Every structure is written in C-alpha cells, then in structure tokens.
Amino acid sequence: HIRCLYEDNRGNIYAGTHHGLYLYRQADGHFSRPAAMNAAIGDPILRDMAADRAGNHYVATFGNGITRFNPEGKTTGRQNRKQGFPSDAVNTLFSSLQGELWAGTRKGLVLFRNSGGVPDLARYETYDETSGLPETNIQAIEEDAHGNLWFTTDNYLIHFRRKEGIFCTYSQHEGLPAAGFLENASACAADGTLYFAGRGGVVSFRPEAFYQKPAAPRPAFTELIFYEGQGQGGERHIPLPHAAEEVRLSHRQNTFSIRFGIQDYALAGRIEYAYRMENLDKKWYTTEEPSATFRGLQPGNYRFCLKYRLKGEPWVELPEPLSIDIPSPWWLSRTAKAGYLLLACAAAAGIF
C-alpha cells in the first residue's frame, strides 16, 4: 500500500507505505528497506515526504509526527506530540517557494519558517479553528504564483491570502463536489492550474481568477415580520418600501424581524452581513443569516443600518438606513399628558 513517492536530488526514489519506507537507487538498481531510517521514523504508516533547499528529507507519519533526515539519511530533527506538536497524524507536507515547510495535520495547518535555508522544526505557527478554519483535518496543500496557499480539508477548499492574513473558504455552495476531498491528491501544472481530487471528481482552476475581486451584490430590505400577542393576529408580514421611506408601527408591534438579502442566489452562501439599530445600540452584530430580530422596543425613532461583504473582502455600508417609528400609545401621548396635567390642576383647585 504505497501512500507517497519522492525523488531526491541524487535520483534516489523513496516510497512511503503502510509498512515503512523503501528506497530505490536508480544508479545501481538497488532496492531496500533502510532499517536505520525506519527505526528513526518510529511509525510504519507513512503519509508524505518533502525536501528543503539543502536536500534534507522530511517524512510525515500517521502516528509519530515529522522526522527530518540529512541527505545521508541521518536523523537531524523531529516534531511530534511529545514535544507539544498539535497532532502526531500528519497527512501532507509542502515545501514553499520561500523555503518554508507546511504540514497539514488532523489538528490544523502548521508553518515551519525558513531559518538559514532550513525549516526550523523547533519553532512553528499553527492555524486552526481559532484562526478561522472551518475544519482542521488538512488533506492537501498547493501554492500559487503569488506565494499564497490553497489547501483542502474534508469538505472545503481554502485560499490562504498570507499578506492579508485571510482565509477564503469555498464549499459545495460554490459548486464543489459534496463527497469531500482526498488526502495528498493535488497537483500544480506548469501553467499554474491547480488540481485537487475528491471522491466526487477533480476540481481544477486558475488562481488568477480569484484575484479579480468581484463586487458584492447590494442587498435590499424585503419584509418586516412583527409578532402580536395571543388573540392579536400572531405573525404578520409587511413588504418593505424603499429604504429611504419610513416604516411606522404601532406600540403593540415592537417585537419584529427585518429581512434582507441579495437576488444572486449563487453568491448567497458567500455573503456576510453586519447590522445595528441606532437609538438602541451602537454595536455592530455580524451574521450570515439575512435577518435581524428585535424584541420589546420602546417607543421612539430608530434607524436600522446594514453592512455587507463577500467573505474576506472589506465591508460596504448601505447608504440609506431603514427608518422605523414606534409611536407612544395614546395614553402616553403629549395630548394625554397635557390632559393629565389639567385634571391634576383641577383636582388640586377643588381641594383647596
């Protein structure tokens, strides 16, 4: 069961299997299972191999992390959970144009930075859920001409734009196969086309197309749903007018939801929203759901403000907030209060 093939700068071919590491020397046709290297690796189930600019070899395993060998096959470094590494299960390795080593583990993406031409195994950075990844079981890694990474997890294709520190995530909402991606099943063609294989087929694309930033479609307010108490008619839907117009509710309609959205359903899963209700709260709340709910608002004038963006892009704010007026009940109106004052004055005059 061969999991990976690797050729070093001397023309030797290594095969990583479920029964350890095998070596084929093309110079003399000798085939062997190097005992010392296998003993140093410490796990017979190998996942991937890679090399750095100095000709060192890196071996990824299912249960003992990463082992580094020099060109002569001597162990020069190791990283695993015993030393604090996130996971002993390392699915894939990738050497970048910058001389770095990337490791895809079951607990996230790991970067070993270039230190004098050799990746420093003792110092690394981990990217996981806390960094914004939707999943942490990294399956395959590639790099585009801009030096940015593209990698797959079980169900996602992810673009890591390193300069901005942004992860752009693509899933079946953008047309990817729903069956998931396969381990170490990726390639970069000479023309820069990237290929990632999954159980449902092969995904191919030119990364340049993703650097042409599309404009996020402008959302519109679609309807307002208010909730009256029992015996008052329950839930009611009101189509919203243009944003520049005011929505006037009664004091009983102070619990409601505002719905909004875009008309391009193909992009619906890639749009994020942020909203706030002026005169109620100064904080912006982010959501991927095209709605916002408010409960028990006091009488007053409100402005519902909305921002939107494609995931990973800058926010854009709608220029016209939705104005909402909730008048006071008649017994709290100015006229009623003036009447209360007159009655109080008359009562006081009658007493005295």
Side-chain angles (χ1 to χ4, degrees), residues 26 36 39-40 52 59-61 107 125 134 140-141 183 185 200 211 223 237 267-268 274 315 319 336 338:
Q26 296 190 75
D52 61 28
V59 180
T61 70
K107 296 294 183 180
E125 301 167 25
I141 305 171
E183 184 179 301
Y211 291 101
E223 65 176 346
H237 296 244
L267 291 175
W315 287 106

Side-chain angles (χ1 to χ4, degrees), residues 219 272-275 284 305-309 315-318:
E272 292 179 316
Y273 302 98
Y275 65 87
W284 287 95
C305 304
L306 183 66
K307 296 193 295 188
Y308 62 99
R309 68 175 179 181
W315 287 106
V316 179
E317 185 172 355
L318 281 180

Side-chain angles (χ1 to χ4, degrees), residues 5-335:
L5 291 171
Y6 161 76
E7 184 176 4
D8 67 15
N9 54 13
R10 300 179 179 183
N12 299 316
I13 297 177
Y14 293 85
T17 75
H18 275 194
H19 300 283
L21 182 68
Y22 291 82
L23 169 62
Y24 175 67
R25 294 202 306 259
Q26 296 190 75
D28 58 9
H30 183 263
F31 185 81
S32 66
R33 186 179 186 274
M37 294 183 72
N38 278 285
I41 293 169
D43 182 7
I45 303 178
L46 308 189
R47 290 303 200 207
D48 200 9
M49 294 187 69
D52 61 28
R53 294 174 178 176
N56 297 303
H57 317 313
Y58 298 82
V59 180
T61 70
F62 176 74
N64 198 31
I66 302 170
T67 304
R68 179 172 62 201
F69 298 94
N70 66 16
E72 286 70 42
K74 303 296 183 181
T75 306
T76 60
R78 185 186 308 279
Q79 191 57 261
N80 55 27
R81 288 192 66 187
K82 293 180 181 178
Q83 304 175 55
F85 199 60
S87 175
D88 279 337
V90 181
N91 299 327
T92 185
L93 297 172
F94 184 82
S95 295
S96 73
L97 296 172
Q98 294 80 19
E100 304 157 327
L101 180 69
W102 291 88
T105 78
R106 293 196 172 188
K107 296 294 183 180
L109 183 69
V110 179
L111 166 63
F112 300 98
R113 292 196 180 274
N114 186 345
S115 178
V118 178
D120 187 353
L121 290 186
R123 301 173 62 186
Y124 56 87
E125 301 167 25
T126 303
Y127 302 89
D128 52 22
E129 297 101 330
T130 62
S131 310
L133 296 185
E135 294 177 341
T136 59
N137 189 30
I138 311 301
Q139 299 284 29
I141 305 171
E142 294 293 339
E143 184 178 30
D144 64 25
H146 297 271
N148 293 319
L149 287 195
W150 295 82
F151 59 96
T152 53
T153 63
D154 292 330
N155 300 295
Y156 295 91
L157 170 67
I158 301 173
H159 181 196
F160 183 23
R161 292 159 59 171
R162 298 185 61 186
K163 185 176 180 180
E164 298 97 326
I166 293 173
F167 292 101
C168 299
T169 302
Y170 304 93
S171 66
Q172 55 184 303
H173 292 295
E174 287 76 44
L176 296 181
F181 290 98
L182 296 173
E183 184 179 301
N184 269 329
S186 65
C188 179
D191 64 356
T193 300
L194 297 183
Y195 297 86
F196 291 92
R199 296 175 182 84
V202 177
V203 175
S204 66
F205 58 92
R206 295 294 299 272
E208 289 76 12
F210 291 82
Y211 291 101
Q212 301 170 1
K213 297 182 179 179
R218 179 172 171 170
F221 300 116
T222 57
E223 65 176 346
L224 185 144
I225 306 171
F226 64 86
Y227 309 92
E228 295 182 328
Q230 292 184 350
Q232 299 295 322
E235 180 180 299
R236 296 188 182 181
H237 296 244
I238 302 176
L240 287 176
H242 296 294
E245 300 181 22
E246 182 180 74
V247 176
R248 187 175 178 85
L249 304 176
S250 75
H251 68 276
R252 294 191 182 92
Q253 298 169 340
N254 62 348
T255 294
F256 56 85
S257 295
I258 301 172
R259 288 187 177 174
F260 41 85
I262 60 173
Q263 294 182 346
D264 188 343
Y265 296 105
L267 291 175
R270 296 179 56 192
I271 297 291
E272 292 179 316
Y273 302 98
Y275 65 87
R276 72 177 178 187
M277 185 71 85
E278 290 185 356
N279 200 26
L280 175 67
D281 198 343
K282 295 181 179 180
K283 181 180 178 180
W284 287 95
Y285 297 89
T286 58
T287 179
E288 295 185 12
E289 298 297 324
S291 66
T293 299
F294 301 90
R295 295 177 174 85
L297 267 62
Q298 296 297 315
N301 295 306
Y302 299 92
R303 283 161 44 97
F304 180 76
C305 304
L306 183 66
K307 296 193 295 188
Y308 62 99
R309 68 175 179 181
L310 285 170
K311 292 179 180 178
E313 301 297 336
W315 287 106
V316 179
E317 185 172 355
L318 281 180
E320 304 92 6
L322 179 67
S323 296
I324 300 173
D325 179 39
I326 303 177
S328 299
W330 67 266
W331 60 85
L332 293 179
S333 66
R334 291 183 178 179
T335 302

